[in-house]
Amino acid sequence: MSGLSVFALGGLHEIGKNMYAVQYDDDIFLIDCGNKFPDESLLGIDLIIPDISFLIKNKEKVKGLIVTHGHEDHIGGIPFLLKEINVPVYATRFTIGLIELKLQDHKLLGTTELKEIKEDTQLDFGSVQVEFFKVIHSIPDCLGVVFNTPEGSVVHTGDFKFDLTPAIEEYSDIHKMAEIGKKGVLLLLSESTNAERPGLTPTERRVGEHVDEAFMKADGKVFLSTFASNVSRLQQAVDAAAKTGRKLALLGRTMVNVVEVAMERGYLNVPDGMLIDKRDINKLPPQQVAILCTGSQGEIMAALSRLSTGDFRDAEVLPGDTVILAAGPIPGNEKAVSRIVDNLYGLGAKVIYGSGSSSGMHVSGHGYQEDLKLMLTLMRPKYFIPIHGELRMLHHHRMLAESVGVQEGNTFILKNGDVLDIQDGEARQTKSVHAGNTYVDGLGVGETGEIVLRDRRQLSEDGILIIFLTMSKTDKKLATNPDIISRGFVFEKESTELLNNINVLVSQTVNEMTSSKRNEWGMIKHELKKVTGDYLYKQTRKKPMILPFIIEV
Amino acid sequence: MSGLSVFALGGLHEIGKNMYAVQYDDDIFLIDCGNKFPDESLLGIDLIIPDISFLIKNKEKVKGLIVTHGHEDHIGGIPFLLKEINVPVYATRFTIGLIELKLQDHKLLGTTELKEIKEDTQLDFGSVQVEFFKVIHSIPDCLGVVFNTPEGSVVHTGDFKFDLTPAIEEYSDIHKMAEIGKKGVLLLLSESTNAERPGLTPTERRVGEHVDEAFMKADGKVFLSTFASNVSRLQQAVDAAAKTGRKLALLGRTMVNVVEVAMERGYLNVPDGMLIDKRDINKLPPQQVAILCTGSQGEIMAALSRLSTGDFRDAEVLPGDTVILAAGPIPGNEKAVSRIVDNLYGLGAKVIYGSGSSSGMHVSGHGYQEDLKLMLTLMRPKYFIPIHGELRMLHHHRMLAESVGVQEGNTFILKNGDVLDIQDGEARQTKSVHAGNTYVDGLGVGETGEIVLRDRRQLSEDGILIIFLTMSKTDKKLATNPDIISRGFVFEKESTELLNNINVLVSQTVNEMTSSKRNEWGMIKHELKKVTGDYLYKQTRKKPMILPFIIEV
């Protein structure tokens, strides 16, 4: 590629694993490297990260990774990238704090070049200069990025909303955005998460008022669960606790770690003496305790889930306690969250929950349609790529762009890997680079493929049936009765008749085949799979995996 | 039990498998017998129905099954009940039509006593008289039930909302409800699905207006997907098609069957000559075709899903076509529905979707808080059991009841199986009868237990590793090298090193054990599971099921 090219290795047609690339001649600049959590069809998979084989092939061209903010879908893939390509990582102070936690876990802290940037940092990479602008979102210290190239400037918004009355002292730098737009933007990449939602994102400050109110009304302990990285939400809880004379305990490893990063670096202000150890929760009267905990998404191993089932050693939800879920469920997590709410009701707690608007305890960090239109209006780009969203969101975002003046035909709805080339002011979608999903499965990265997953799917639905044959080497006949073992199919002890029938069927089949001299082992196995498979389907409408084994004696 | 008792065998702390029982002395009356679809943790399970072992033990007491309406969560368990207890089934004309479709599939049509009831039917069972009242919901011909017992009357609402301007000529009989309430209601059982939602359910007529508008704006074909049983929604689509001069095709087996039942029985009016065969869709100009199809919940094998992937033989979604999803996603189905919407965008269709309020194409069939309060006010019961809902919904419903005058302490939040006894006007929660989930798995009913499911879970996450040992009978030593086979764990061809290491480890372990005379087969198997399990976890962080087999030669 020569000239200017832009593409994504993750984040298009999906929410998650964001990774975008701006290339000018032989310099590739990466923006974000996130992960994504697998859906229920990817059995046993822990994590999905972008397939970076294209970058590995072009290792020497990659000049750096710029990270817009510290959410998992923007930083979760970084350790896996760095193990393959050790590039400098540019990020703000708070984001670096969160990246460091990750690098520690992966033992990469010593070998990584972390470079702190600020909103007014300017980076010079020869033909490309990079500058930044402040955006706000549901985590501190977020940036948008501007690549000034000889062809024109490319702007990446990061994740953003416009909130003119945020809860902590961080403001969108609308003036700088206006200035960038005025100078002229060749291409805008803007996030599309809430492109389907009409209106403007409600302000964070409303949440604070509701949190205060709930703390004041509460008689017993107050539990508040949210994303640990949502420091402004945490600050609101800290403030409410201070106003109502409560000490504060933290539950969940992520909460403890992130609060430490946020306090150390000055993003979260907790009054001296307010934090208590979780083991001291029960030493105080309940109305003097507030607890921040992880697990607002219903994650089964996180603090809130374990509290809801009475399975947490140091703290207990008791009748009269208040539990606030101060985070909306991410699509797909609704049922897990509901289960927790039900359990908490079962414990006698007062539960405040619901998708933001109904409980008032959450507002989205992603701009709604009017926010997105404001960004498009400020930047007034010639070309536009909606990013960070599923296909329907990208389409909605395209319509929004056209409604505020982006010319029809100048919006490009790309897939991961699709390359947009811009030469002499003209954009064209040309070739594709390799992009895809890399599965992290236990310690294995990229080793679990479609065959293993297909096997897991079959095993998960219908289980396995193992047929064991001992065949005589001399006369090629069954030496003993076949053994039949099943797991995850039917319960052996309650299915003796079915298993006996299979036993008979297997013996018959093998005897027929050997007497008709069709006694090659491969043929026998093949025939057994077919015959028992058909029989079992007819009897049970199930299709277990059938594994015949032959031992020669 | 003597006197009056009320309990549920399904429907409490859950949405689905509704089944309630009113017992007076030795007469048990059942209300509904539904099914529920399994969540992702119940691998391979097709359906959940109520555990009816209590009823089987008390067969001779069961006097009949009254069915309030024809939704799956109220009728889906009927064939399984009738196979065990052949009781008369009372239902309205349309509901009987849907039950008959089910009985046909299960070859039970000839042996079942189906008794048609109307809103003014009165049934006399000796000490108990049963009458009905008309309610409206998202399916025609729904009833509430009143049991007049010597102890007082027990009212079951069925599923309902109050819509004063419904789309077809079916109205809630508010006058009769008022009369029942005036005579005095001892105990009310009322559904709780939307107890969390403030306000009054929006009217169906709004949907009609939006459907009309979408049909008028459409240039190409119009696809509309909804529940086949939502006849009033179908009628609105038929009317819109008539107004815009479109012929109508039906896609999906359920759609074809239910439309036939609804037309035959006079619930759906389709102009003569409007229906066309699906094979004729492509013979007409696209702007003269409308298509009703199943699959609004994202069901993978239903028409809409297959249309969205271009995998439907007789019809195709083309650029410029309009696809309307006229049903809100049931909790848990959001992701599947979104996937379809994305695919439809990918085909270039105009897609109208979203949770009711945003698209205007759906309103709920279940009453919101104000509807529920109106029912409670009309009935003014002494005692109240909120039914048909998860725990948080039951709690919200309790609060609503108290807000309109049900005395504190007179609302009973029960679990399935909990029995409420009422004697001399006093209600007490006493014992419990056996209640639970029966799993339908292929053709097996109630045969798949926790052990099989646990095995499936392990297999689904981490797969299986089979270790094969051939041991010599004479010296109790390994006769050949062990065989190691894996499925769903790691891909054998790409993991030769790992599998070789296991091979060595297995041989070593067995040799050590046999030379130290710890060579009992059971002990060897146990040790192999432990040693290889530990090794694999350390190497891969996975815990496959390990099955060692020993063959003596």
Side-chain angles (χ1 to χ4, degrees):
Chain A
M1 294 190 243
S2 78
L4 177 62
S5 306
V6 175
F7 55 93
L9 292 175
L12 299 183
H13 297 219
E14 64 185 340
I15 294 283
K17 78 178 207 340
N18 288 286
M19 187 170 202
Y20 306 92
V22 173
Q23 175 161 10
Y24 190 81
D25 285 347
D26 275 348
D27 295 336
I28 297 177
F29 305 96
L30 301 174
I31 305 150
D32 295 336
C33 182
N35 66 23
K36 177 164 111 163
F37 294 98
D39 68 21
E40 61 287 356
S41 71
L42 295 173
L43 296 163
I45 300 296
D46 300 313
L47 221 56
I48 305 171
I49 53 173
D51 181 331
I52 53 167
S53 46
F54 172 80
L55 298 177
I56 294 174
K57 266 189 229 145
N58 293 278
K59 235 177 206 182
E60 72 297 339
K61 295 185 184 166
V62 182
K63 294 298 172 279
L65 169 68
I66 296 165
V67 184
T68 61
H69 65 285
H71 278 151
E72 286 297 315
D73 57 333
H74 295 257
I75 70 169
I78 292 178
F80 304 96
L81 172 74
L82 293 178
K83 278 177 198 168
E84 302 291 340
I85 316 175
N86 190 4
V87 289
V89 178
Y90 300 87
T92 56
R93 200 167 140 69
F94 184 70
T95 309
I96 283 184
L98 297 183
I99 294 173
E100 282 178 351
L101 291 176
K102 275 195 184 299
L103 298 180
Q104 234 158 29
D105 284 351
H106 286 263
K107 304 194 171 57
L108 288 168
L109 205 47
T111 54
T112 302
E113 199 182 338
L114 285 170
K115 300 196 166 185
E116 192 179 312
I117 50 175
K118 294 208 171 82
E119 52 178 302
D120 56 2
T121 302
Q122 302 208 1
L123 302 175
D124 192 339
F125 293 96
S127 49
V128 176
Q129 287 83 42
V130 181
E131 53 177 335
F132 304 93
F133 56 96
K134 178 118 193 130
V135 294
I136 59 170
H137 181 44
S138 47
I139 185 171
D141 236 3
C142 302
L143 294 179
V145 192
V146 187
F147 297 88
N148 294 306
T149 77
E151 188 67 47
S153 37
V154 177
V155 174
H156 183 294
T157 62
D159 289 5
F160 74 97
K161 62 175 173 179
F162 290 100
D163 183 347
L164 304 181
T165 53
I168 51 176
E169 295 290 313
E170 279 206 281
Y171 293 89
S172 313
D173 192 346
I174 297 185
H175 296 95
K176 188 160 184 183
M177 295 181 206
E179 200 184 310
I180 293 163
K182 208 165 176 187
K183 276 195 249 163
V185 172
L186 178 66
L187 171 67
L188 174 70
L189 291 83
S190 180
E191 70 122 328
S192 314
T193 317
N194 275 334
E196 295 166 284
R197 291 207 201 173
L200 197 74
T201 321
T203 172
E204 275 287 334
R205 210 163 283 178
R206 250 190 42 192
V207 175
E209 291 159 13
H210 287 110
V211 171
D212 279 357
E213 201 188 313
F215 270 68
M216 279 188 249
K217 279 192 190 160
D219 303 320
K221 301 194 288 295
V222 180
F223 295 80
L224 186 141
S225 180
T226 190
F227 292 105
S229 62
N230 195 334
V231 174
S232 100
R233 198 71 45 86
L234 301 184
Q235 185 68 58
Q236 290 173 319
V238 168
D239 295 347
K243 283 180 207 164
T244 54
R246 292 170 184 269
K247 301 280 182 188
L248 193 68
L250 306 173
L251 299 185
R253 191 175 85 106
T254 318
M255 188 60 79
V256 172
N257 287 344
V258 175
V259 164
E260 198 180 298
V261 168
M263 285 176 69
E264 266 176 24
R265 295 176 183 233
Y267 294 88
L268 180 68
N269 298 310
V270 181
D272 282 345
M274 182 188 239
L275 278 184
I276 58 170
D277 192 280
K278 59 185 175 182
R279 280 169 301 235
D280 294 334
I281 290 173
N282 293 324
K283 297 183 186 155
L284 289 168
Q287 64 278 15
Q288 287 176 25
V289 180
I291 292 152
L292 294 179
C293 58
T294 53
S296 63
Q297 293 305 308
E299 306 93 322
I300 207 106
M301 296 307 294
L304 188 63
S305 169
R306 286 159 60 205
L307 285 166
S308 80
T309 53
D311 184 29
F312 204 90
R313 205 168 35 145
D314 302 299
E316 216 179 346
V317 175
L318 296 173
D321 285 346
T322 300
V323 184
I324 304 171
L325 277 81
I330 291 174
N333 295 346
E334 294 89 350
K335 278 184 116 172
V337 173
S338 298
R339 220 170 288 143
I340 288 180
V341 172
D342 282 336
N343 291 341
L344 292 169
Y345 268 110
L347 296 175
K350 194 180 151 197
V351 195
I352 305 177
Y353 65 100
S355 70
S357 54
S358 62
S359 71
M361 291 298 180
H362 175 66
V363 295
S364 177
H366 298 278
Y368 288 12
Q369 291 181 346
E370 296 304 317
D371 301 69
L372 300 180
K373 279 157 72 180
L374 180 52
M375 179 63 85
L376 282 154
T377 300
L378 286 165
M379 293 296 170
R380 43 181 202 194
K382 179 170 181 192
Y383 297 109
F384 175 49
I385 304 178
I387 58 169
H388 200 291
E390 303 192 9
L391 183 56
R392 61 192 184 285
M393 303 166 189
L394 307 182
H395 271 284
H396 276 271
H397 207 173
R398 173 183 55 75
M399 291 187 273
L400 295 174
E402 287 168 3
S403 78
V404 297
V406 172
Q407 223 177 300
E408 239 176 89
N410 279 6
T411 298
F412 293 86
I413 296 194
L414 304 181
K415 291 192 293 295
N416 292 328
D418 286 350
V419 178
L420 189 77
D421 281 327
I422 308 189
Q423 269 193 333
D424 306 324
E426 287 303 310
R428 281 184 324 131
Q429 189 189 327
T430 54
K431 63 192 163 313
S432 290
V433 302
H434 181 74
N437 289 324
T438 295
Y439 299 138
V440 180
D441 185 5
L443 293 182
V445 178
E447 289 170 3
T448 308
E450 264 316 306
I451 296 177
V452 170
L453 282 171
R454 200 192 54 205
D455 285 350
R456 284 186 194 163
R457 272 173 220 134
Q458 186 181 9
L459 291 168
S460 75
E461 296 273 315
D462 299 331
I464 191 167
L465 188 93
I466 301 166
I467 302 171
F468 238 145
L469 302 179
T470 322
M471 307 280 291
S472 151
K473 226 180 256 182
T474 44
D475 61 1
K476 302 258 175 192
K477 282 188 178 162
L478 276 175
T480 61
N481 222 12
D483 273 322
I484 314 284
I485 288 111
S486 104
R487 287 290 184 277
F489 165 49
V490 293
F491 190 43
E492 290 181 356
K493 288 185 185 161
E494 289 172 358
S495 310
T496 40
E497 197 191 322
L498 185 74
L499 296 177
N500 284 341
N501 291 347
I502 296 171
N503 209 306
V504 172
L505 186 69
V506 167
S507 302
Q508 276 175 356
T509 308
V510 176
N511 289 338
E512 277 166 27
M513 289 188 77
T514 49
S515 62
S516 65
K517 301 286 174 214
R518 294 160 56 230
N519 53 1
E520 197 258 307
W521 291 167
M523 276 173 72
I524 291 182
K525 285 185 181 177
H526 181 81
E527 185 70 12
L528 282 180
K529 277 192 189 183
K530 198 185 158 302
V531 171
T532 47
D534 288 351
Y535 175 78
L536 289 176
Y537 185 71
K538 215 175 128 198
Q539 294 297 312
T540 66
R541 286 287 179 282
K542 306 286 289 178
K543 293 179 177 175
M545 180 182 285
I546 297 171
L547 283 188
F549 291 111
I550 299 178
I551 298 267
E552 273 187 344
V553 293
Chain B
M1 296 187 238
S2 78
L4 177 62
S5 304
V6 175
F7 55 93
L9 292 175
L12 299 183
H13 296 217
E14 63 185 339
I15 293 284
K17 79 179 202 347
N18 288 285
M19 187 170 202
Y20 306 93
V22 173
Q23 176 161 10
Y24 190 81
D25 285 348
D26 276 347
D27 295 335
I28 297 176
F29 305 95
L30 301 174
I31 304 150
D32 296 336
C33 181
N35 67 22
K36 177 165 114 166
F37 294 96
D39 68 21
E40 62 285 358
S41 70
L42 295 173
L43 297 164
I45 300 296
D46 300 312
L47 221 55
I48 306 171
I49 54 174
D51 182 331
I52 54 167
S53 47
F54 173 79
L55 298 176
I56 294 173
K57 266 188 227 144
N58 294 278
K59 234 178 210 187
E60 71 298 336
K61 294 184 184 166
V62 182
K63 292 299 173 282
L65 168 68
I66 296 165
V67 183
T68 61
H69 65 285
H71 277 151
E72 286 297 316
D73 57 333
H74 295 257
I75 69 169
I78 292 179
F80 304 96
L81 172 74
L82 293 178
K83 279 176 197 168
E84 302 291 339
I85 317 174
N86 190 3
V87 290
V89 178
Y90 300 86
T92 56
R93 202 169 138 69
F94 184 70
T95 308
I96 284 184
L98 297 182
I99 295 174
E100 281 178 352
L101 291 176
K102 278 198 179 302
L103 298 181
Q104 236 158 29
D105 285 350
H106 286 263
K107 302 194 173 54
L108 287 168
L109 205 48
T111 55
T112 303
E113 199 181 337
L114 285 170
K115 299 196 167 186
E116 190 179 312
I117 50 175
K118 294 209 170 80
E119 52 177 303
D120 56 0
T121 301
Q122 302 207 1
L123 303 174
D124 192 340
F125 292 96
S127 50
V128 176
Q129 288 82 42
V130 181
E131 52 178 333
F132 304 92
F133 56 94
K134 178 117 196 131
V135 294
I136 58 169
H137 181 43
S138 47
I139 185 172
D141 236 4
C142 301
L143 294 178
V145 192
V146 187
F147 297 88
N148 294 306
T149 80
E151 188 67 49
S153 39
V154 177
V155 174
H156 183 294
T157 62
D159 289 6
F160 74 96
K161 62 175 173 178
F162 291 100
D163 183 347
L164 304 181
T165 52
I168 52 175
E169 294 291 313
E170 280 206 284
Y171 293 90
S172 314
D173 192 347
I174 297 185
H175 295 94
K176 189 161 184 182
M177 295 180 204
E179 201 184 308
I180 294 163
K182 209 164 176 191
K183 277 194 250 165
V185 172
L186 179 65
L187 171 66
L188 174 69
L189 291 83
S190 180
E191 70 121 329
S192 314
T193 317
N194 275 334
E196 295 166 286
R197 291 207 202 172
L200 198 74
T201 320
T203 174
E204 274 287 335
R205 210 162 285 176
R206 251 191 41 192
V207 175
E209 291 159 12
H210 288 109
V211 171
D212 280 356
E213 201 187 314
F215 271 67
M216 278 187 251
K217 279 191 192 160
D219 302 321
K221 300 194 288 294
V222 180
F223 295 80
L224 186 141
S225 180
T226 190
F227 292 106
S229 62
N230 195 335
V231 174
S232 100
R233 198 71 44 87
L234 300 185
Q235 186 69 59
Q236 291 173 318
V238 168
D239 295 347
K243 283 181 207 165
T244 53
R246 291 170 186 270
K247 300 282 182 188
L248 191 68
L250 306 173
L251 299 185
R253 190 174 85 105
T254 319
M255 188 60 80
V256 172
N257 288 343
V258 176
V259 164
E260 196 180 300
V261 168
M263 285 177 68
E264 264 175 25
R265 294 176 184 231
Y267 294 89
L268 180 69
N269 298 309
V270 182
D272 283 345
M274 183 188 238
L275 279 183
I276 58 169
D277 192 279
K278 59 185 174 182
R279 282 168 300 235
D280 294 334
I281 290 173
N282 293 325
K283 297 184 186 155
L284 289 168
Q287 65 278 16
Q288 287 175 25
V289 181
I291 292 152
L292 294 180
C293 60
T294 53
S296 62
Q297 293 306 308
E299 306 93 322
I300 206 106
M301 295 305 295
L304 189 64
S305 170
R306 287 159 59 205
L307 284 165
S308 81
T309 53
D311 184 28
F312 204 89
R313 203 169 36 143
D314 302 299
E316 217 180 346
V317 176
L318 296 173
D321 286 345
T322 301
V323 184
I324 304 171
L325 277 81
I330 291 173
N333 295 345
E334 294 87 351
K335 277 182 118 172
V337 174
S338 298
R339 220 169 288 143
I340 287 181
V341 172
D342 283 335
N343 290 342
L344 291 169
Y345 269 109
L347 295 175
K350 193 178 152 198
V351 195
I352 305 178
Y353 66 99
S355 71
S357 55
S358 63
S359 71
M361 291 297 179
H362 176 66
V363 297
S364 176
H366 299 278
Y368 287 14
Q369 292 181 345
E370 296 305 317
D371 301 70
L372 300 180
K373 280 156 72 180
L374 179 53
M375 179 63 84
L376 283 155
T377 300
L378 286 164
M379 293 296 170
R380 40 180 205 195
K382 180 171 180 191
Y383 296 110
F384 174 48
I385 305 177
I387 57 169
H388 199 292
E390 304 192 9
L391 184 55
R392 62 193 183 283
M393 302 166 190
L394 307 181
H395 271 283
H396 276 270
H397 206 173
R398 173 182 57 73
M399 291 188 273
L400 295 173
E402 288 167 2
S403 79
V404 297
V406 172
Q407 223 177 300
E408 240 176 88
N410 279 7
T411 297
F412 292 86
I413 296 196
L414 305 181
K415 291 193 294 292
N416 292 329
D418 286 352
V419 178
L420 189 78
D421 281 326
I422 308 189
Q423 269 193 334
D424 306 325
E426 286 304 310
R428 283 185 321 134
Q429 190 190 326
T430 54
K431 62 191 165 314
S432 290
V433 302
H434 181 74
N437 289 326
T438 294
Y439 300 138
V440 180
D441 185 6
L443 294 181
V445 178
E447 289 169 2
T448 309
E450 264 316 307
I451 296 178
V452 170
L453 282 171
R454 200 193 55 207
D455 285 349
R456 284 186 195 163
R457 272 173 220 135
Q458 186 180 7
L459 291 168
S460 75
E461 296 274 313
D462 298 332
I464 190 167
L465 188 93
I466 302 168
I467 301 171
F468 241 146
L469 302 179
T470 321
M471 305 282 289
S472 150
K473 225 178 258 184
T474 43
D475 61 359
K476 301 255 174 192
K477 280 189 176 160
L478 276 175
T480 61
N481 221 13
D483 273 322
I484 314 283
I485 287 110
S486 104
R487 287 289 183 280
F489 165 49
V490 292
F491 190 43
E492 290 180 355
K493 289 187 184 160
E494 288 172 0
S495 310
T496 40
E497 195 191 324
L498 185 74
L499 296 177
N500 284 342
N501 289 348
I502 296 171
N503 210 307
V504 172
L505 187 68
V506 167
S507 302
Q508 276 175 357
T509 309
V510 175
N511 290 338
E512 277 166 26
M513 290 187 78
T514 51
S515 63
S516 64
K517 299 285 172 215
R518 295 159 57 230
N519 52 2
E520 198 259 307
W521 290 169
M523 277 174 70
I524 291 182
K525 284 183 182 178
H526 181 82
E527 185 70 12
L528 282 180
K529 277 190 188 185
K530 200 185 155 304
V531 171
T532 47
D534 288 351
Y535 175 77
L536 289 177
Y537 185 71
K538 215 176 129 199
Q539 294 298 313
T540 67
R541 286 287 179 281
K542 307 285 290 178
K543 293 178 175 176
M545 180 182 285
I546 297 171
L547 284 189
F549 290 111
I550 299 178
I551 299 268
E552 271 188 343
V553 293

